[in-house]
Amino acid sequence: MRLLIARIALVLSLLLPVWFMVAALGVKFDLWSWRLGLGVLIIQWGPRLLIGALVIALVALVATLAKSPRTGWRAALIALLIPALGFGYLAYVRGQSADIPPIHDVTTNVEDPPIYSEALMAVRTAEDANPVAEFSAQLTSLPAYQGPRFAPLAGKSLGQVGEEAYPELETLVTAAAPADAFTAAEAEARAQGWTIVSADAGTGMIEATAETFWFGFKDDVAIRVRPGEAGAAIDMRSTSRVGLSDLGANAARIEAYMTALSGRLAD
């Protein structure tokens, strides 16, 4: 009986990763909405399932160790470790996101950011994506930022919040000619695995869409190459289509791209 309990606990714990993967991939393949997959299946039910599996595994471990012969305790221990690791990961994510502002639109140039085309904005509107606000807009004046939880951000613009959180994001200045910089910028955007929406060498604008693996969340990217004082100046913007906070994903994307592009231009 104790061995059976341990095996049941192990099977339930092994099914936990399957639950989370199915919830995420269901969103990616349009089987259900991200609000159901992320909001309900993962955020609401995920911790409950972890707690349930943890309790059952703990009971199984105690039962298998209570008296001889102590069989099945290894299975029970593995069953206990799986949800424990799940809670550890959730705690890590919560800790990482504690200092990340709840924004989903960042750029290297808040004073003069790249502007998305009407065609791309039409796609965002059709998908009921996050509205694209001016970086000069007061954050708490925007509809998504109403309520007491956003009071600490009162008086700050969207651009200010982004600059304070990600001071490393800056315009990339290069000695390369604008045409060469544009060619390198487009090549690097393709190398990142993004879907190129448009690339106009005449205006120096590149638009692309990045998609996450698990959920298939789409973030829009705008890259602008302009003549600089002695070469070219490259700015970038990255904006999530869904979610209030991007957990730093857009800033990380910009930093990774600019670093790679800088290396490409230096070759």
Side-chain angles (χ1 to χ4, degrees), residues 24-25 27-28 209-219 249 253:
L25 292 177
V27 177
K28 181 181 181 70
T209 299
E211 183 174 326
T212 63
F213 176 78
W214 285 108
F215 290 92
F217 289 146
K218 294 180 179 179
D219 298 340
R253 177 179 298 112

Side-chain angles (χ1 to χ4, degrees), residues 69-135:
R70 295 181 175 86
T71 59
W73 68 269
R74 291 181 179 84
L77 180 59
I78 295 173
L80 183 66
L81 288 175
I82 293 173
L85 288 173
F87 273 117
Y89 178 72
L90 290 178
Y92 168 77
V93 172
R94 183 180 293 272
Q96 289 292 102
S97 63
D99 297 325
I100 295 176
I103 59 176
H104 48 261
D105 189 3
V106 294
T107 182
T108 57
N109 188 341
V110 298
E111 300 298 330
D112 185 17
I115 304 298
Y116 293 114
S117 66
E118 292 183 2
L120 185 55
M121 289 299 296
V123 171
R124 292 180 63 91
T125 300
E127 294 188 4
D128 194 26
N130 289 324
V132 177
E134 297 287 341
F135 282 99

